[in-house]
Coordinates of all heavy atoms in Angstrom, one line a residue:
M101 N -9.8 -13.2 6.9 CA -9.3 -13.5 5.5 C -7.9 -13.0 5.3 O -7.6 -11.8 5.5 CB -10.3 -12.9 4.5 CG -9.9 -13.1 3.1 SD -11.2 -12.4 2.0 CE -10.2 -12.0 0.7
P102 N -7.0 -13.9 5.0 CA -5.6 -13.5 4.9 C -5.4 -12.6 3.6 O -6.1 -12.9 2.6 CB -4.8 -14.8 4.8 CG -5.7 -15.9 4.7 CD -7.1 -15.3 4.9
L103 N -4.5 -11.7 3.7 CA -4.2 -10.8 2.5 C -3.2 -11.4 1.6 O -2.3 -12.2 2.1 CB -3.8 -9.4 3.0 CG -4.9 -8.6 3.7 CD1 -4.2 -7.4 4.3 CD2 -6.0 -8.2 2.7
S104 N -3.2 -11.1 0.4 CA -2.2 -11.5 -0.6 C -1.6 -10.3 -1.3 O -2.2 -9.2 -1.3 CB -2.8 -12.4 -1.6 OG -3.3 -13.6 -1.0
L105 N -0.5 -10.4 -1.9 CA 0.1 -9.3 -2.7 C -0.9 -8.9 -3.8 O -1.6 -9.7 -4.3 CB 1.4 -9.8 -3.4 CG 2.6 -10.0 -2.5 CD1 3.8 -10.5 -3.2 CD2 2.9 -8.8 -1.6
N106 N -0.9 -7.6 -3.9 CA -1.8 -6.9 -4.9 C -3.3 -6.8 -4.5 O -4.1 -6.3 -5.2 CB -1.7 -7.4 -6.3 CG -0.3 -7.3 -6.9 OD1 0.3 -6.2 -6.7 ND2 0.3 -8.3 -7.4
D107 N -3.6 -7.3 -3.3 CA -5.0 -7.1 -2.8 C -5.3 -5.6 -2.5 O -4.5 -4.9 -1.9 CB -5.2 -7.9 -1.5 CG -5.5 -9.4 -1.7 OD1 -5.5 -9.8 -2.9 OD2 -5.5 -10.1 -0.7
P108 N -6.5 -5.1 -2.9 CA -6.8 -3.8 -2.6 C -7.2 -3.7 -1.1 O -7.9 -4.6 -0.6 CB -8.0 -3.5 -3.5 CG -8.6 -4.8 -3.9 CD -7.5 -5.8 -3.8
V109 N -6.7 -2.6 -0.4 CA -6.9 -2.5 1.0 C -7.2 -1.0 1.4 O -6.9 -0.1 0.6 CB -5.7 -3.0 1.8 CG1 -5.5 -4.5 1.7 CG2 -4.4 -2.2 1.4
N110 N -7.8 -0.9 2.6 CA -7.9 0.4 3.3 C -6.8 0.4 4.4 O -6.6 -0.7 5.0 CB -9.3 0.6 3.9 CG -10.3 0.9 2.8 OD1 -10.1 1.6 1.9 ND2 -11.5 0.3 3.0
V111 N -6.2 1.5 4.7 CA -5.2 1.7 5.7 C -5.7 2.7 6.7 O -5.9 3.9 6.3 CB -3.8 2.1 5.1 CG1 -2.8 2.2 6.2 CG2 -3.4 1.0 4.1
E112 N -5.8 2.4 7.9 CA -6.1 3.3 9.0 C -4.9 3.8 9.7 O -4.1 3.0 10.2 CB -7.0 2.6 10.0 CG -8.4 2.2 9.5 CD -9.4 3.3 9.3 OE1 -9.2 4.4 9.8 OE2 -10.4 3.0 8.6
L113 N -4.6 5.1 9.6 CA -3.5 5.7 10.3 C -4.0 6.8 11.3 O -5.0 7.5 11.0 CB -2.5 6.4 9.3 CG -1.8 5.4 8.3 CD1 -1.0 6.2 7.3 CD2 -1.0 4.5 9.0
S114 N -3.4 6.9 12.4 CA -3.9 7.8 13.4 C -3.8 9.3 13.0 O -4.5 10.1 13.4 CB -3.1 7.6 14.7 OG -1.7 7.8 14.5
D115 N -2.9 9.6 12.1 CA -2.7 11.0 11.6 C -3.6 11.3 10.4 O -3.4 12.4 9.8 CB -1.2 11.3 11.4 CG -0.6 10.5 10.3 OD1 -1.2 9.4 9.9 OD2 0.5 10.8 9.8
Q116 N -4.4 10.4 10.0 CA -5.3 10.6 8.8 C -6.8 10.6 9.3 O -7.1 9.7 10.1 CB -5.1 9.5 7.7 CG -3.7 9.5 7.1 CD -3.5 10.7 6.2 OE1 -4.4 11.2 5.5 NE2 -2.2 11.2 6.2
H117 N -7.6 11.5 8.7 CA -9.0 11.5 9.1 C -9.8 10.5 8.4 O -10.8 10.0 8.8 CB -9.6 12.9 8.8 CG -8.9 14.0 9.6 ND1 -9.1 14.1 11.0 CD2 -8.1 15.0 9.2 CE1 -8.4 15.2 11.4 NE2 -7.8 15.7 10.4
H118 N -9.3 10.1 7.2 CA -10.0 9.1 6.4 C -9.0 8.0 6.0 O -7.8 8.2 5.9 CB -10.5 9.7 5.1 CG -11.5 10.8 5.3 ND1 -12.7 10.7 5.8 CD2 -11.3 12.2 5.1 CE1 -13.3 11.8 5.9 NE2 -12.5 12.8 5.5
P119 N -9.5 6.8 5.8 CA -8.6 5.7 5.5 C -7.9 6.0 4.1 O -8.4 6.6 3.2 CB -9.4 4.5 5.3 CG -10.8 4.8 5.7 CD -10.9 6.3 5.9
L120 N -6.6 5.5 4.0 CA -5.9 5.6 2.8 C -6.2 4.3 2.0 O -6.6 3.3 2.6 CB -4.4 5.7 3.0 CG -3.9 6.9 3.8 CD1 -2.4 6.8 4.1 CD2 -4.2 8.2 3.0
T121 N -6.1 4.4 0.7 CA -6.4 3.2 -0.1 C -5.1 2.9 -0.9 O -4.3 3.7 -1.2 CB -7.5 3.5 -1.2 OG1 -7.2 4.6 -2.0 CG2 -8.8 3.8 -0.4
G122 N -5.0 1.6 -1.1 CA -3.8 1.1 -1.9 C -3.9 -0.4 -2.1 O -5.0 -1.0 -2.0
I123 N -2.8 -1.0 -2.5 CA -2.7 -2.4 -2.7 C -1.5 -3.0 -1.9 O -0.5 -2.3 -1.6 CB -2.4 -2.8 -4.2 CG1 -1.2 -2.1 -4.7 CG2 -3.6 -2.4 -5.1 CD1 -0.7 -2.7 -6.1
V124 N -1.7 -4.2 -1.5 CA -0.6 -4.9 -0.7 C 0.6 -5.1 -1.6 O 0.5 -5.7 -2.7 CB -1.1 -6.2 -0.1 CG1 0.0 -6.9 0.6 CG2 -2.3 -6.0 0.8
A125 N 1.7 -4.6 -1.1 CA 3.0 -4.7 -1.9 C 4.1 -5.5 -1.2 O 5.0 -5.9 -1.8 CB 3.5 -3.3 -2.3
H126 N 3.9 -5.7 0.1 CA 4.9 -6.4 0.9 C 4.1 -7.0 2.1 O 3.3 -6.4 2.7 CB 6.0 -5.5 1.5 CG 6.9 -6.2 2.4 ND1 8.0 -7.0 2.0 CD2 6.9 -6.3 3.8 CE1 8.6 -7.5 3.1 NE2 7.9 -7.1 4.2
L127 N 4.4 -8.3 2.4 CA 3.9 -9.0 3.5 C 5.0 -9.6 4.3 O 5.8 -10.3 3.8 CB 2.9 -10.1 3.1 CG 1.6 -9.6 2.4 CD1 0.9 -10.8 1.7 CD2 0.7 -9.1 3.5
G128 N 5.0 -9.4 5.7 CA 5.9 -10.1 6.5 C 7.0 -9.3 7.2 O 6.8 -8.0 7.3
P129 N 8.0 -9.9 7.7 CA 9.0 -9.3 8.5 C 9.8 -8.2 7.7 O 9.9 -8.2 6.5 CB 10.0 -10.4 8.9 CG 9.4 -11.7 8.5 CD 8.3 -11.4 7.5
V130 N 10.3 -7.2 8.5 CA 11.1 -6.1 7.9 C 12.3 -6.0 8.8 O 12.3 -6.4 10.0 CB 10.3 -4.8 7.9 CG1 9.2 -4.9 6.9 CG2 9.7 -4.4 9.3
E131 N 13.4 -5.4 8.3 CA 14.6 -5.2 9.1 C 14.5 -4.1 10.1 O 15.3 -4.0 11.0 CB 15.8 -5.1 8.2 CG 16.1 -6.4 7.4 CD 17.3 -6.2 6.5 OE1 17.9 -5.2 6.5 OE2 17.6 -7.2 5.7
F132 N 13.6 -3.1 9.9 CA 13.6 -1.9 10.7 C 12.8 -2.0 11.9 O 12.7 -1.1 12.7 CB 13.2 -0.7 9.8 CG 11.8 -0.8 9.2 CD1 10.7 -0.5 10.0 CD2 11.6 -1.3 7.9 CE1 9.4 -0.6 9.4 CE2 10.4 -1.4 7.4 CZ 9.2 -1.1 8.1
A133 N 12.0 -3.1 12.1 CA 11.2 -3.3 13.3 C 11.0 -4.8 13.6 O 11.0 -5.6 12.7 CB 9.9 -2.5 13.1
D134 N 10.6 -5.1 14.8 CA 10.3 -6.4 15.2 C 8.9 -6.8 14.7 O 8.1 -6.0 14.4 CB 10.3 -6.6 16.7 CG 11.7 -6.4 17.3 OD1 12.7 -6.7 16.6 OD2 11.8 -6.0 18.5
G135 N 8.7 -8.1 14.6 CA 7.4 -8.6 14.3 C 7.3 -9.1 12.8 O 8.1 -8.7 12.0
D136 N 6.4 -10.0 12.6 CA 6.2 -10.5 11.2 C 4.9 -10.1 10.6 O 4.4 -10.7 9.6 CB 6.4 -12.0 11.2 CG 5.4 -12.8 12.0 OD1 4.6 -12.1 12.7 OD2 5.4 -14.0 12.0
D137 N 4.2 -9.2 11.3 CA 2.9 -8.8 10.8 C 2.9 -7.5 10.1 O 1.9 -6.7 10.1 CB 1.9 -8.7 12.0 CG 2.3 -7.7 13.0 OD1 3.5 -7.3 13.1 OD2 1.4 -7.3 13.8
W138 N 4.0 -7.1 9.4 CA 4.1 -5.9 8.7 C 3.5 -6.0 7.3 O 3.7 -7.0 6.6 CB 5.5 -5.4 8.6 CG 6.0 -4.9 9.9 CD1 6.7 -5.6 10.8 CD2 5.8 -3.6 10.4 NE1 7.0 -4.8 11.9 CE2 6.5 -3.6 11.7 CE3 5.2 -2.5 10.0 CZ2 6.5 -2.4 12.5 CZ3 5.2 -1.3 10.8 CH2 5.8 -1.3 12.0
I139 N 2.8 -5.0 6.8 CA 2.3 -4.9 5.5 C 2.8 -3.6 4.9 O 2.6 -2.5 5.4 CB 0.7 -5.0 5.5 CG1 0.3 -6.3 6.1 CG2 0.2 -4.8 4.1 CD1 -1.2 -6.5 6.2
G140 N 3.4 -3.7 3.7 CA 3.8 -2.6 2.9 C 2.7 -2.3 1.9 O 2.2 -3.2 1.2
V141 N 2.2 -1.1 1.9 CA 1.1 -0.8 1.0 C 1.5 0.3 0.0 O 2.0 1.4 0.4 CB -0.2 -0.3 1.8 CG1 -1.3 0.2 0.9 CG2 -0.6 -1.3 2.8
R142 N 1.3 0.0 -1.3 CA 1.4 1.0 -2.3 C 0.1 1.8 -2.4 O -0.9 1.2 -2.7 CB 1.8 0.4 -3.7 CG 1.9 1.4 -4.8 CD 2.2 0.8 -6.1 NE 2.3 1.8 -7.1 CZ 2.8 1.6 -8.3 NH1 3.3 0.5 -8.6 NH2 2.8 2.6 -9.2
L143 N 0.2 3.1 -2.1 CA -1.0 3.9 -2.1 C -1.5 4.2 -3.6 O -0.7 4.4 -4.5 CB -0.8 5.2 -1.3 CG -0.4 4.9 0.1 CD1 0.0 6.3 0.8 CD2 -1.5 4.2 0.9
T144 N -2.8 4.2 -3.7 CA -3.4 4.4 -5.1 C -4.5 5.4 -5.0 O -5.0 5.8 -3.9 CB -3.9 3.1 -5.6 OG1 -4.9 2.6 -4.7 CG2 -2.8 2.0 -5.8
G145 N -5.0 5.8 -6.2 CA -6.1 6.8 -6.3 C -5.8 8.1 -5.6 O -4.7 8.6 -5.7
V146 N -6.7 8.6 -4.8 CA -6.6 9.9 -4.1 C -5.6 9.8 -3.0 O -5.1 10.8 -2.5 CB -7.9 10.4 -3.6 CG1 -8.9 10.7 -4.7 CG2 -8.5 9.5 -2.6
S147 N -5.2 8.6 -2.6 CA -4.2 8.4 -1.5 C -2.7 8.4 -2.1 O -1.8 8.6 -1.3 CB -4.4 7.1 -0.8 OG -5.7 7.1 -0.2
A148 N -2.6 8.3 -3.4 CA -1.2 8.3 -4.0 C -0.5 9.6 -3.6 O -1.0 10.6 -3.6 CB -1.3 8.2 -5.5
G149 N 0.8 9.4 -3.1 CA 1.6 10.5 -2.7 C 1.4 11.0 -1.3 O 2.1 11.9 -0.8
K150 N 0.5 10.3 -0.5 CA 0.3 10.7 0.9 C 1.0 9.7 1.8 O 0.7 9.7 3.0 CB -1.2 10.7 1.2 CG -2.0 11.7 0.4 CD -3.4 11.7 0.8 CE -4.2 12.8 0.0 NZ -5.6 12.7 0.4
G151 N 2.0 9.0 1.3 CA 2.6 8.0 2.1 C 3.8 8.5 2.9 O 4.1 9.7 2.9
K152 N 4.6 7.6 3.5 CA 5.7 8.0 4.3 C 7.1 7.6 3.7 O 8.1 7.9 4.2 CB 5.6 7.4 5.7 CG 4.3 7.9 6.4 CD 4.2 7.4 7.8 CE 2.9 8.0 8.3 NZ 2.9 8.0 9.8
N153 N 7.0 6.8 2.6 CA 8.2 6.3 2.0 C 7.9 5.8 0.5 O 6.7 5.8 0.1 CB 8.9 5.2 2.8 CG 8.0 4.0 3.0 OD1 7.6 3.4 2.0 ND2 7.7 3.7 4.3
G154 N 8.9 5.4 -0.2 CA 8.8 4.9 -1.5 C 8.9 3.4 -1.5 O 9.3 2.8 -2.6
G155 N 8.7 2.7 -0.4 CA 8.8 1.3 -0.3 C 10.2 0.9 0.2 O 10.6 -0.3 0.3
K156 N 11.0 1.9 0.5 CA 12.4 1.7 0.9 C 12.6 2.3 2.3 O 12.2 3.5 2.5 CB 13.4 2.4 -0.1 CG 14.8 2.3 0.2 CD 15.6 2.9 -0.9 CE 17.1 2.8 -0.7 NZ 17.9 3.4 -1.8
V157 N 13.1 1.6 3.2 CA 13.3 2.0 4.6 C 14.7 1.7 5.0 O 15.1 0.5 4.9 CB 12.3 1.5 5.6 CG1 12.6 1.9 7.0 CG2 10.9 1.8 5.2
K158 N 15.5 2.6 5.5 CA 16.8 2.4 6.0 C 17.7 1.7 5.0 O 18.4 0.8 5.3 CB 16.8 1.7 7.4 CG 16.2 2.5 8.5 CD 16.4 1.9 9.8 CE 15.9 2.8 10.9 NZ 16.0 2.2 12.2
G159 N 17.6 2.1 3.7 CA 18.4 1.6 2.7 C 18.0 0.3 2.0 O 18.6 -0.1 1.1
K160 N 16.9 -0.3 2.6 CA 16.5 -1.6 2.0 C 15.2 -1.3 1.2 O 14.2 -0.8 1.8 CB 16.2 -2.6 3.1 CG 15.7 -3.9 2.5 CD 15.8 -5.1 3.4 CE 15.1 -6.3 2.8 NZ 15.9 -7.3 2.4
Q161 N 15.1 -1.8 0.0 CA 14.0 -1.6 -0.9 C 13.1 -2.9 -0.7 O 13.5 -4.0 -0.9 CB 14.4 -1.5 -2.4 CG 13.2 -1.2 -3.3 CD 12.8 0.3 -3.2 OE1 13.6 1.2 -3.1 NE2 11.5 0.5 -3.1
Y162 N 11.9 -2.7 -0.2 CA 10.9 -3.8 0.0 C 9.9 -3.9 -1.1 O 9.4 -5.0 -1.5 CB 10.1 -3.5 1.3 CG 11.0 -3.7 2.5 CD1 11.6 -2.6 3.1 CD2 11.2 -4.9 3.1 CE1 12.4 -2.7 4.2 CE2 12.1 -5.0 4.2 CZ 12.7 -3.9 4.8 OH 13.5 -4.0 5.9
F163 N 9.5 -2.7 -1.8 CA 8.6 -2.7 -2.9 C 8.7 -1.4 -3.6 O 9.3 -0.5 -3.1 CB 7.2 -3.0 -2.4 CG 6.6 -2.0 -1.5 CD1 5.8 -0.9 -2.0 CD2 6.8 -2.1 -0.1 CE1 5.3 0.0 -1.2 CE2 6.2 -1.1 0.7 CZ 5.5 -0.1 0.2
D164 N 8.2 -1.4 -4.8 CA 8.1 -0.1 -5.6 C 6.8 0.5 -5.3 O 5.7 0.0 -5.6 CB 8.2 -0.5 -7.1 CG 8.1 0.8 -8.0 OD1 8.1 1.9 -7.5 OD2 7.9 0.6 -9.2
A165 N 6.9 1.7 -4.7 CA 5.7 2.4 -4.3 C 5.2 3.5 -5.4 O 4.3 4.2 -5.2 CB 5.9 3.1 -3.0
G166 N 6.0 3.5 -6.5 CA 5.6 4.5 -7.5 C 5.9 5.9 -7.2 O 5.4 6.8 -7.8
G167 N 6.8 6.2 -6.3 CA 7.2 7.5 -5.9 C 7.7 7.6 -4.5 O 7.5 6.7 -3.7
D168 N 8.4 8.7 -4.1 CA 9.0 8.8 -2.8 C 8.0 8.8 -1.6 O 8.3 8.4 -0.5 CB 9.8 10.1 -2.7 CG 11.1 10.1 -3.5 OD1 11.5 9.0 -3.9 OD2 11.6 11.2 -3.8
K169 N 6.8 9.2 -1.9 CA 5.8 9.2 -0.8 C 4.6 8.3 -1.2 O 3.5 8.6 -0.8 CB 5.3 10.7 -0.5 CG 6.3 11.6 0.0 CD 6.7 11.2 1.4 CE 7.7 12.2 2.0 NZ 8.1 11.9 3.3
G170 N 4.9 7.3 -2.0 CA 3.8 6.4 -2.5 C 3.5 5.2 -1.7 O 2.6 4.4 -2.0
G171 N 4.2 5.0 -0.5 CA 3.9 3.8 0.3 C 4.0 4.0 1.7 O 4.5 5.1 2.2
V172 N 3.4 3.1 2.5 CA 3.5 3.1 3.9 C 3.7 1.6 4.4 O 3.3 0.7 3.7 CB 2.2 3.6 4.6 CG1 2.0 5.1 4.3 CG2 1.0 2.8 4.1
F173 N 4.3 1.5 5.5 CA 4.4 0.2 6.2 C 3.5 0.3 7.5 O 3.6 1.3 8.2 CB 5.8 -0.1 6.7 CG 6.6 -0.7 5.6 CD1 7.4 0.2 4.8 CD2 6.6 -2.0 5.3 CE1 8.2 -0.3 3.8 CE2 7.4 -2.5 4.3 CZ 8.2 -1.7 3.5
V174 N 2.6 -0.6 7.7 CA 1.8 -0.6 8.9 C 1.6 -2.1 9.4 O 1.9 -3.0 8.7 CB 0.4 -0.1 8.5 CG1 0.4 1.4 8.2 CG2 -0.3 -0.9 7.4
R175 N 1.2 -2.2 10.6 CA 0.9 -3.5 11.2 C -0.4 -4.0 10.6 O -1.3 -3.2 10.2 CB 0.7 -3.4 12.7 CG 2.0 -2.9 13.4 CD 2.9 -4.1 13.5 NE 4.0 -3.7 14.4 CZ 4.9 -4.6 14.9 NH1 4.9 -5.8 14.5 NH2 5.9 -4.2 15.6
A176 N -0.5 -5.3 10.5 CA -1.7 -5.9 9.9 C -3.0 -5.4 10.5 O -4.0 -5.3 9.8 CB -1.6 -7.4 10.0
K177 N -3.0 -5.1 11.8 CA -4.3 -4.6 12.4 C -4.8 -3.3 11.8 O -5.9 -3.0 12.0 CB -4.1 -4.5 13.9 CG -3.1 -3.4 14.3 CD -2.9 -3.3 15.8 CE -2.0 -2.1 16.1 NZ -1.8 -1.8 17.5
N178 N -3.9 -2.6 11.1 CA -4.3 -1.3 10.6 C -4.8 -1.4 9.1 O -5.1 -0.4 8.5 CB -3.2 -0.3 10.6 CG -2.7 0.0 12.0 OD1 -1.8 -0.6 12.6 ND2 -3.4 0.9 12.7
V179 N -4.9 -2.6 8.6 CA -5.2 -2.8 7.2 C -6.5 -3.7 7.1 O -6.6 -4.7 7.8 CB -4.1 -3.5 6.4 CG1 -4.4 -3.8 5.0 CG2 -2.8 -2.6 6.5
S180 N -7.4 -3.3 6.2 CA -8.6 -4.1 6.0 C -8.8 -4.3 4.5 O -8.5 -3.4 3.7 CB -9.8 -3.5 6.6 OG -10.0 -2.2 6.1
P181 N -9.3 -5.4 4.1 CA -9.6 -5.7 2.7 C -10.6 -4.7 2.1 O -11.5 -4.2 2.9 CB -10.2 -7.1 2.6 CG -9.8 -7.7 3.9 CD -9.7 -6.6 4.9
R182 N -10.5 -4.3 0.9 CA -11.4 -3.3 0.3 C -12.0 -4.0 -1.0 O -11.3 -4.6 -1.8 CB -10.6 -2.1 -0.2 CG -11.4 -1.0 -0.8 CD -10.6 0.3 -0.9 NE -9.3 0.1 -1.6 CZ -9.1 0.6 -2.8 NH1 -10.0 1.3 -3.5 NH2 -7.9 0.4 -3.4
T183 N -13.3 -4.0 -1.1 CA -14.0 -4.5 -2.2 C -14.1 -3.4 -3.3 O -14.6 -2.3 -3.0 CB -15.4 -5.0 -1.8 OG1 -15.2 -6.0 -0.8 CG2 -16.1 -5.6 -3.0
L184 N -13.7 -3.7 -4.5 CA -13.8 -2.8 -5.6 C -15.0 -3.0 -6.5 O -15.3 -4.2 -6.7 CB -12.5 -2.8 -6.4 CG -11.2 -2.6 -5.7 CD1 -10.0 -2.8 -6.7 CD2 -11.1 -1.2 -5.1
T185 N -15.6 -1.9 -7.0 CA -16.6 -2.1 -8.0 C -15.8 -2.4 -9.3 O -14.6 -2.2 -9.4 CB -17.4 -0.8 -8.2 OG1 -16.5 0.2 -8.7 CG2 -18.0 -0.4 -6.9
R186 N -16.5 -2.8 -10.3 CA -15.8 -3.1 -11.6 C -15.1 -1.8 -12.2 O -14.0 -1.9 -12.7 CB -16.8 -3.6 -12.6 CG -16.2 -4.0 -14.0 CD -15.4 -5.2 -13.8 NE -14.8 -5.6 -15.1 CZ -13.6 -5.9 -15.3 NH1 -12.7 -5.9 -14.3 NH2 -13.1 -6.2 -16.5
L187 N -15.7 -0.7 -12.0 CA -15.1 0.6 -12.5 C -13.9 0.9 -11.7 O -12.8 1.3 -12.3 CB -16.1 1.7 -12.3 CG -15.6 3.1 -12.8 CD1 -15.2 3.1 -14.3 CD2 -16.7 4.2 -12.6
E188 N -13.9 0.7 -10.4 CA -12.7 0.9 -9.5 C -11.6 0.0 -9.9 O -10.4 0.3 -10.0 CB -13.1 0.7 -8.1 CG -13.9 1.8 -7.5 CD -14.4 1.6 -6.1 OE1 -14.7 0.4 -5.8 OE2 -14.5 2.5 -5.3
E189 N -11.9 -1.3 -10.3 CA -10.9 -2.3 -10.7 C -10.2 -1.8 -12.0 O -9.0 -1.8 -12.1 CB -11.6 -3.6 -11.0 CG -11.9 -4.5 -9.8 CD -12.5 -5.8 -10.2 OE1 -12.1 -6.4 -11.3 OE2 -13.4 -6.3 -9.5
L190 N -11.0 -1.3 -12.9 CA -10.5 -0.8 -14.2 C -9.6 0.4 -14.0 O -8.5 0.5 -14.6 CB -11.6 -0.5 -15.2 CG -12.4 -1.7 -15.7 CD1 -13.6 -1.3 -16.5 CD2 -11.5 -2.6 -16.5
K191 N -10.0 1.3 -13.1 CA -9.2 2.5 -12.8 C -7.9 2.2 -12.2 O -6.9 2.7 -12.5 CB -10.0 3.5 -11.9 CG -11.1 4.3 -12.6 CD -11.8 5.2 -11.6 CE -12.9 6.0 -12.3 NZ -13.6 6.8 -11.3
L192 N -8.0 1.2 -11.2 CA -6.7 0.8 -10.5 C -5.8 0.1 -11.5 O -4.6 0.4 -11.5 CB -7.1 -0.2 -9.4 CG -5.9 -0.8 -8.6 CD1 -5.1 0.3 -8.0 CD2 -6.4 -1.8 -7.6
K193 N -6.3 -0.8 -12.4 CA -5.4 -1.4 -13.4 C -4.8 -0.4 -14.3 O -3.6 -0.5 -14.6 CB -6.2 -2.4 -14.2 CG -6.5 -3.7 -13.5 CD -7.3 -4.6 -14.4 CE -7.7 -5.9 -13.6 NZ -8.5 -6.8 -14.4
R194 N -5.5 0.6 -14.7 CA -5.0 1.7 -15.6 C -3.9 2.5 -14.8 O -2.9 2.8 -15.3 CB -6.1 2.6 -16.0 CG -5.6 3.7 -17.0 CD -6.6 4.6 -17.5 NE -7.7 3.9 -18.1 CZ -9.0 4.3 -18.0 NH1 -9.4 5.4 -17.4 NH2 -9.9 3.6 -18.7
E195 N -4.2 2.8 -13.6 CA -3.2 3.6 -12.8 C -1.9 2.8 -12.6 O -0.8 3.4 -12.8 CB -3.8 3.9 -11.4 CG -2.9 4.7 -10.5 CD -3.5 4.9 -9.1 OE1 -4.7 4.8 -8.9 OE2 -2.7 5.3 -8.2
L196 N -2.0 1.6 -12.2 CA -0.8 0.8 -12.0 C 0.0 0.5 -13.3 O 1.2 0.6 -13.3 CB -1.2 -0.6 -11.4 CG -1.8 -0.5 -10.0 CD1 -2.2 -1.8 -9.5 CD2 -0.8 0.2 -9.0
A197 N -0.7 0.3 -14.4 CA -0.1 0.1 -15.7 C 0.6 1.4 -16.1 O 1.8 1.4 -16.6 CB -1.1 -0.3 -16.8
K198 N 0.0 2.5 -15.9 CA 0.6 3.8 -16.3 C 1.8 4.1 -15.5 O 2.8 4.5 -16.0 CB -0.5 5.0 -16.1 CG 0.0 6.3 -16.5 CD -1.1 7.4 -16.2 CE -0.6 8.8 -16.5 NZ -1.6 9.8 -16.2
S199 N 1.8 3.9 -14.2 CA 2.9 4.1 -13.3 C 4.1 3.2 -13.6 O 5.2 3.6 -13.6 CB 2.6 4.1 -11.9 OG 2.3 2.9 -11.4
S200 N 3.8 1.9 -14.0 CA 4.9 1.0 -14.2 C 5.5 1.3 -15.6 O 6.7 1.1 -15.8 CB 4.4 -0.5 -14.2 OG 3.5 -0.8 -15.2
S201 N 4.7 1.8 -16.5 CA 5.3 2.1 -17.9 C 6.1 3.4 -17.8 O 7.1 3.6 -18.5 CB 4.2 2.2 -18.9 OG 3.4 3.3 -18.7
S202 N 5.7 4.3 -16.9 CA 6.5 5.6 -16.8 C 7.8 5.4 -16.0 O 8.7 6.2 -16.1 CB 5.6 6.7 -16.2 OG 5.3 6.4 -14.8
S203 N 7.8 4.4 -15.2 CA 9.1 4.2 -14.4 C 10.0 3.2 -15.1 O 11.1 3.0 -14.6 CB 8.7 3.6 -13.0 OG 8.1 2.3 -13.1
S204 N 9.7 2.7 -16.3 CA 10.6 1.9 -17.0 C 11.5 2.7 -17.8 O 11.4 3.7 -18.2 CB 9.8 1.0 -18.0 OG 8.8 0.2 -17.3

C-alpha cells in the first residue's frame, strides 16, 4: 500500500530498540542522497524529539518537523503504515494542532 503525506507510520532504525512513530512529511527524492524512495517523517507522541533533524538537511528545508530533532529521513523499506485507534487519532490531531499554533 503506497504511503501519502500525513499518513501515520512506524519507523525502524538500527540504533533504536523500538520503532519510532510519526507521520509522513516528505516523499521522494532528496538532494543529499541518491534514490527516489526517501521518506521524511515528523516524529510524534513519545518519539517526538528523538529524530536526527528538523526536516532540513544541508541547508534545504524539506518539511517542518516541529523542532530541531523532530524528524528523520529514511528509506521506504524502513517505514510501515500504522493503524491508529480513534483515541490515538484524536491525540495526534491535538499534538499537531498545538505544535503548528505554537510555531506561528
Side-chain angles (χ1 to χ4, degrees):
M101 176 175 150
L103 293 171
S104 299
L105 291 177
N106 297 315
D107 281 354
V109 293
N110 288 320
V111 179
E112 297 285 344
L113 296 174
S114 58
D115 61 344
Q116 296 288 326
H117 297 292
H118 302 288
L120 298 174
T121 59
I123 59 167
V124 175
H126 173 85
L127 290 166
V130 293
E131 293 180 4
F132 60 85
D134 292 333
D136 62 356
D137 63 336
W138 287 96
I139 298 179
V141 177
R142 178 180 177 165
L143 300 174
T144 59
V146 297
S147 298
K150 295 182 179 179
K152 299 185 181 203
N153 59 60
K156 181 177 184 177
V157 177
K158 294 189 176 180
K160 178 164 171 109
Q161 188 75 43
Y162 292 92
F163 63 93
D164 176 11
D168 289 343
K169 296 287 184 185
V172 292
F173 280 95
V174 293
R175 297 282 190 172
K177 68 180 181 175
N178 298 95
V179 177
S180 59
R182 181 168 55 109
T183 303
L184 301 178
T185 65
R186 183 70 181 131
L187 180 59
E188 288 171 325
E189 282 180 37
L190 294 171
K191 285 180 179 178
L192 178 59
K193 284 181 183 178
R194 184 181 303 146
E195 178 182 345
L196 295 175
K198 182 180 176 184
S199 69
S200 68
S201 66
S202 66
S203 64
S204 303

